[in-house]
């Protein structure tokens, strides 16, 4: 149930906010506080205002009007859902209902001295627009793009090949780093038991290394030349990157001083702002921020596991807050065969709006690992960047914002500070009704004030209009189950980190039974007590919730190491909506009977998806399952011999490799079709979340742990102690039986 | 009792002033006159001194034998000690907005408590002064 775009002020089809940008849990908001509390569904907004454009998406219009028109009281930007009053001389704000003046340039173009049709204005026809902001929106001249790499060169980092792969990837990405105004600055620092800075002065013939061994009192050895212009010092930077792998080859240094390194990086970047990219392969051991290997596998799966998910040191969080203030964001790439305390280190990314990328057991000798890292890092460096940003969400009068979820620092009651806007991240905002809504339309506007990588100050405005209703049935029938599931996931992450994972699971189930109970109480008669009733649009909610309970972030199990658990929790907290849904409810296809001829003009066509149950697995079958972060290829025991040779280039089933592989690209139509599907998945996931999923081949009678991992994604089945889908529905039915019908 | 009373009065007045400052700063935060990092830095400087001052006050009551005053102040002491033991006594800039309503309630409750104590000490001090005369 979506509002008709014809009722927007200019009647333009682009006035409806695309759900990929911003979505509300309700598509018809209850207009009284009692109604909202009666239906028990949380009111929330899931927004990703700067999501990366996928192929086929409309680009966002960029305009520079004579004046940015805003409401004089609530400062809302003019949008397609305002109303013109008093014969069009004034406009009424759709958020605070105050009447404002319409400026003259709406109807009259001062330059060409011609009348204008105001209804053609981009502000009134599009729900997602970019304004170019004038000087009043700047507190300082727009900053340039700054990338500072802090590279671990201890024993683990060199042995695993991380440094060599990273250097190569950065080298090849130098051209795609945003640098349209030639102001981009780059710096490199390497860390083991001492800090190594590099003089990258363009005049020098080769880069000069300066070692700082004083970790107590960090200082910068040079006033300049540690951070240089990319365009000027390109040659020197390339020469350094080419040699960095060899410079530390054969090192036996196992210590790492990440804390002091970050402090000095912060010192270097704080006058300007920018991005610190940490490539870490060891647990920091020296001085500030030193961490211990505190992993205790006996605690996993018990309520005490929560202690392993709490940060062990407050250093990183405090540093992140300082960084956020200086417009510096930190992104962490963690590689380690052993414990890296992601729970503590991810605080760096969490409060500065960055991301954490984790490559457990990384080994560059495996081409799959090197390929994944290189692809992700290259995309990460090359994607469009927005700097020194703040995000504010405004809602119609009567709606109050109560909680915010995502990676950011809350600078004021409703202002999210994002030193670097991460296009992969989404933010969930919980709201409540303070007073009854008086109008028929509730609007939500997200505005992000930022600096583009070209040096322009921009404002992205995303406006969502949702009708209100006084009818409880309409509220239930218009609920967006995906937005609801994603909100519950983010709330569960917060609960897991503030108390225990068990509490988070209980809270999710409790919420689901509340909602179903409310529906039952209000809309069913006592004769229907034995059936489980839900409206059509919420039919998948129990399945999504089951998927959430079985997700590696929340599953009741003792087999997930705490690094992985902390990482997955951190990911769930920021996943954009479509990605989160795929991660909770993976996509599953049968490949052994696909139509090879189905592709027209090179378009990749996916076969129909299957239910996530092993009942679908046939002995001769070949199946593909993707979660967004991984891709699994299940090979049945009795798969025909020609499939083995066509797809895997192997004579028989027994010789098909298992685990992480690169599927050979053979010249036959079947191999091309399957590779086409996998490449399409990887392409989309890279754009959506900078994720290049590994491909794992799972044989039906192969490695036990790999099989269990694959089967754990078939959420309709029973695994360990968790319910199967039919059992889960039975459990819900029992819970509902306790609720009396209305 | 006279000089003791003055000392106690002084301690209570200091605490009340501190609390007023805290309450004002919390409302500044809500109105966006101060950012959370600065707020937490300012307030964190006073958390431990306040607790220590209250602890000294309590000890002074113990040594002086003022059992009623001791009894009144023991719950607050226990509350402060509990917070320190659980490491919750410092303000955290990343969580401050979530926990702001709770902090405000706590500050108001403490203020009310200190105000009552103030009048009780005033009474005791006057009684003490009258006795010595």
């Amino acid at each position: 149930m979506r509002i008709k775009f014809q009722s927007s002020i200019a009647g333009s089809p682009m006035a409806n906010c695309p759900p990929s940008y911003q979505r509300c849990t309700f598509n018809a908001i209850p207009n009284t506080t009692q109604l909202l509390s009666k239906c028990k569904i949380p009111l929330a907004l899931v927004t990703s205002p700067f999501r990366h454009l996928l192929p086929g998406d409309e680009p966002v219009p960029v305009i520079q009007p004579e004046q940015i028109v805003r409401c004089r009281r609530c400062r809302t930007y003019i949008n397609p859902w305002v109303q013109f009053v008093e014969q069009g001389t004034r406009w009424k704000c759709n958020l605070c209902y105050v009447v404002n003046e319409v400026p003259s340039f709406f109807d009259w173009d001062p330059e060409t001295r011609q009348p204008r049709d105001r209804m053609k204005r981009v502000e009134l026809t599009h729900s997602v627009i970019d304004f170019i902001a004038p000087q009043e929106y700047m507190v300082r001249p727009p900053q340039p793009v700054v990338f500072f790499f802090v590279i671990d060169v201890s024993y683990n980092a060199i042995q695993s090949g991380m440094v060599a792969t990273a250097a190569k990837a950065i080298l090849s990405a130098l051209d795609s780093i945003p640098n349209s105004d030639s102001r981009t600055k780059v710096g490199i620092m390497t860390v083991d038991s001492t800090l190594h800075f590099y003089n990258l002065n363009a005049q020098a013939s080769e880069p000069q290394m300066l070692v700082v061994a004083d970790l107590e009192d960090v200082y910068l050895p040079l006033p300049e030349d540690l951070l240089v212009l990319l365009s000027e010092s390109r040659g020197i930077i390339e020469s350094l990157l080419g040699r960095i792998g060899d410079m530390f080859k054969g090192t036996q240094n196992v210590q790492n001083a990440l804390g002091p390194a970050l402090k000095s990086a912060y010192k270097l970047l704080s006058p300007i702002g920018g991005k610190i990219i940490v490539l870490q392969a060891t647990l920091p051991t020296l001085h500030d921020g030193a961490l211990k290997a505190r992993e205790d596998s006996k605690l996993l799966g018990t309520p005490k596991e929560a202690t392993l998910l709490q940060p062990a040191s407050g250093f990183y969080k405090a540093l992140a807050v300082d960084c956020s203030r200086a417009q510096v964001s930190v992104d962490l790439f963690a590689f380690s065969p052993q414990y890296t305390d992601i729970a503590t280190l991810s605080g760096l990314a969490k409060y500065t709006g960055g991301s954490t990328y984790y490559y457990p057991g990384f080994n560059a000798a495996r081409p799959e690992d090197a390929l994944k890292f290189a692809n992700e890092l290259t995309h990460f460096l090359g994607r469009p960047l927005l700097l020194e940003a703040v995000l504010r969400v405004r809602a119609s009068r009567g709606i109050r914002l109560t909680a915010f979820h995502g990676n950011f620092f809350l600078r004021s009651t409703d202002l999210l500070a994002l030193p670097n806007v991460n296009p992969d991240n989404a933010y969930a905002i919980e709201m409540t009704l303070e007073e009854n809504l008086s109008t028929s339309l509730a609007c939500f506007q997200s505005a992000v004030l930022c600096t583009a990588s070209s040096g322009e100050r921009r404002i992205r405005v995303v406006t969502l209009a949702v009708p209100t209703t006084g009818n409880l049935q309409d509220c239930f029938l218009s609920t967006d189950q995906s937005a609801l599931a994603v909100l519950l996931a983010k709330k569960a992450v917060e609960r897991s980190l503030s108390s225990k994972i068990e509490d988070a699971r209980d809270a999710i189930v409790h919420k689901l039974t509340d909602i179903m109970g409310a529906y039952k109480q209000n809309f069913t008669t006592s004769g229907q007590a034995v059936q489980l009733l839900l409206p059509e649009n919420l039919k998948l909610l129990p399945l999504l919730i089951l998927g959430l309970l079985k997700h590696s972030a929340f599953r009741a199990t003792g087999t997930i190491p705490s690094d992985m658990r902390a990482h997955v929790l951190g990911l769930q907290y920021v996943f954009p909506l479509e990605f989160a849904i795929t991660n909770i409810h993976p996509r599953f296809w049968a490949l052994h009977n696909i139509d090879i001829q189905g592709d027209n003009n090179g378009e990749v066509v996916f076969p129909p998806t299957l239910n996530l149950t092993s009942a679908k697995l046939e002995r001769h079958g070949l199946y593909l399952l993707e979660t967004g972060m991984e891709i699994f290829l299940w090979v049945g025991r009795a798969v025909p011999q020609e499939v083995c040779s066509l797809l895997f280039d192997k004579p028989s089933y027994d010789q098909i490799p298992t685990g992480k592989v690169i599927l050979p690209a053979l010249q036959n139509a079947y191999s091309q079709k399957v590779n086409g599907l996998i490449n399409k998945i990887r392409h989309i996931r890279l754009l959506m979340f900078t994720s290049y999923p590994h491909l794992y081949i799972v044989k039906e009678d192969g490695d036990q742990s790999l099989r269990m991992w694959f089967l754990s994604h078939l959420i309709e089945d029973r695994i360990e102690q968790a319910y199967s889908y039919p059992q889960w529905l039975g459990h819900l039915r029992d819970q509902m039986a306790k609720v009396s019908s209305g | 009792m006279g000089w003791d009373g003055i000392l106690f009065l002084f301690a209570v007045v200091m605490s009340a002033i501190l609390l007023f400052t805290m309450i004002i700063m919390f409302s500044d935060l809500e109105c966006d006159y101060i950012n959370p990092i600065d707020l937490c830095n300012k307030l964190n400087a006073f958390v431990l001194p306040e607790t220590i001052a209250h602890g000294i006050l309590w000890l002074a009551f113990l040594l002086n034998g003022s059992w009623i005053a001791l009894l009144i102040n023991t719950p607050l002491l226990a509350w402060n000690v509990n917070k320190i033991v659980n490491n919750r006594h410092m303000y955290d800039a990343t969580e401050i907005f979530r926990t702001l309503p709770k902090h405000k309630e706590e500050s108001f409750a403490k203020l009310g408590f200190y105000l009552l104590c103030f009048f009780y000490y005033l009474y005791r001090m006057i009684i003490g002064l009258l006795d010595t005369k």
Side-chain angles (χ1 to χ4, degrees), chain A residues 91 166 172 190 392 399 423 427 492 608:
Chain A
W91 63 276
S172 57
T190 52
R392 179 172 259 139
I399 299 177
Y427 308 95

Side-chain angles (χ1 to χ4, degrees), chain A residues 103-122:
Chain A
S104 53
F105 64 83
F106 260 45
D107 296 313
W108 177 260
D109 185 347
E111 277 170 48
T112 61
R113 301 193 183 284
Q114 299 280 341
R116 258 182 186 163
D117 181 7
R118 59 164 70 168
M119 295 307 185
K120 289 227 173 28
R121 292 194 69 84
V122 177

